[in-house]
Amino acid sequence: MTSLTGKIALVTGASQGIGRACALALATQGATVALAARNIEKLDAVAAEITAAGGTAKTYALDVSSEDSIKSAAKQVLADLGAVHILVNNAGITRDGLALRMKLADFDDVLRTNLTGAFLLTQAVISSMMKARWGRVINITSVVGETGAAGQANYAASKAGLIGLTKSLAREFASRSITVNAIAPGFIQTAMTDELTDAQKTAILAQIPLARYGSDADIAASVAFLASDAAGYITGHTLDVNGGMYMG
Ligand code: NAP
């Protein structure tokens, strides 16, 4: 028996990077994990990894920028697995550019994927947590939601919005023993940050007191903690996992 045995977790953006690491960590703790993203082949590969390690996982095609996709994926997960006790809203995108020239489509796409998607998916599965009178919603925000970042007005707004969403939902669902928290990663080495230039990466490293980039496992460990009973008295919190880059 491990701490999450009997719990069902849904992780968005589980096909790679931080989401994949979170899914593996939750499965290691005994949770049955629903892996969701757009790329089903990649999800199947993650599910195979979990199964090979003795865990249980199932894959779901989900586009968090589409309300219809969210509704149908949530319905399918609930039909297959019976409940969602732990929701990790991790799927996210960037469309960087200076605000002066930013296209409305690039602003809207980032908000719809990173913020509206998290809201709608939470709305679609929270009643099963209410029924269980136990639940965990964990939203993956970002250090730039706290600090802002030149060239990322859309992304920073979406991530700051997630922090406000987290606090509001924490207040609404606390009476049902559902905690709602956010994790704010700093610079984590994934496909998302691989897009940055070497000069940008070096400049960021200089701002990290722990003098290393973060790993997806650093974030997954915090997700596993917030999902556990040990974190049952923590809600509405934003946990910085950033090597000291920003100390809120
Ligand atoms: P990543 O490697 O680019 O992975 C992003 C994940 O999101 C993929 O699994 C992708 O899967 C999924 N995704 C994107 N759009 C989606 C959509 N419309 N519907 C469903 N899934 C979608 O990024 P990452 O670095 O692991 O980032 C994960 C989260 O951490 C994001 O929210 C990001 O903002 C946040 N974060 C990352 C860092 C960092 O330094 N890496 C720092 C702070 C915060 P598909 O393409 O298969 O759909």
Side-chain angles (χ1 to χ4, degrees), residues 66-195:
S66 153
E67 186 179 8
D68 287 347
S69 175
I70 288 172
K71 281 185 175 160
S72 67
K75 201 169 158 195
Q76 195 58 53
V77 172
L78 292 171
D80 290 348
L81 305 177
V84 172
H85 304 112
I86 300 161
L87 171 63
V88 183
N89 284 310
N90 163 79
I93 57 166
T94 51
R95 294 276 184 276
D96 294 354
L98 292 174
L100 203 56
R101 286 191 290 272
M102 187 174 284
K103 300 263 187 295
L104 177 59
D106 288 335
F107 191 87
D108 282 347
D109 284 354
V110 170
L111 268 288
R112 193 166 55 246
T113 301
N114 297 3
L115 179 58
T116 311
F119 167 66
L120 291 173
L121 187 58
T122 306
Q123 204 179 40
V125 302
I126 198 108
S127 58
S128 77
M129 296 187 204
M130 291 169 73
K131 220 173 284 168
R133 300 195 74 83
W134 191 97
R136 300 281 187 265
V137 179
I138 302 167
N139 295 321
I140 307 299
T141 176
S142 167
V143 64
V144 309
E146 300 170 301
T147 62
Q152 292 198 305
N154 49 0
Y155 183 75
S158 73
K159 295 299 188 180
L162 268 181
I163 294 172
L165 178 71
T166 297
K167 291 177 180 175
S168 302
L169 297 181
R171 290 182 187 278
E172 284 195 31
F173 296 106
S175 64
R176 307 298 180 107
S177 297
I178 298 167
T179 68
V180 186
N181 291 290
I183 291 175
F187 184 104
I188 309 300
Q189 277 184 305
T190 68
M192 183 176 274
T193 45
D194 281 348
E195 286 173 13

Side-chain angles (χ1 to χ4, degrees), residues 16-29:
Q16 63 184 50
I18 291 170
R20 169 188 162 275
C22 292
L24 288 167
L26 293 170
T28 301
Q29 291 303 310

Side-chain angles (χ1 to χ4, degrees), residues 195-238:
E195 286 173 13
L196 298 175
T197 64
D198 286 345
Q200 285 172 314
K201 288 181 192 168
T202 306
I204 290 168
L205 189 58
Q207 297 167 36
I208 304 174
L210 284 176
R212 68 167 176 89
Y213 302 124
S215 70
D216 52 18
D218 288 322
I219 306 307
S222 294
V223 166
F225 167 64
L226 287 175
S228 73
D229 280 327
Y233 203 55
I234 301 172
T235 198
H237 184 66
T238 298

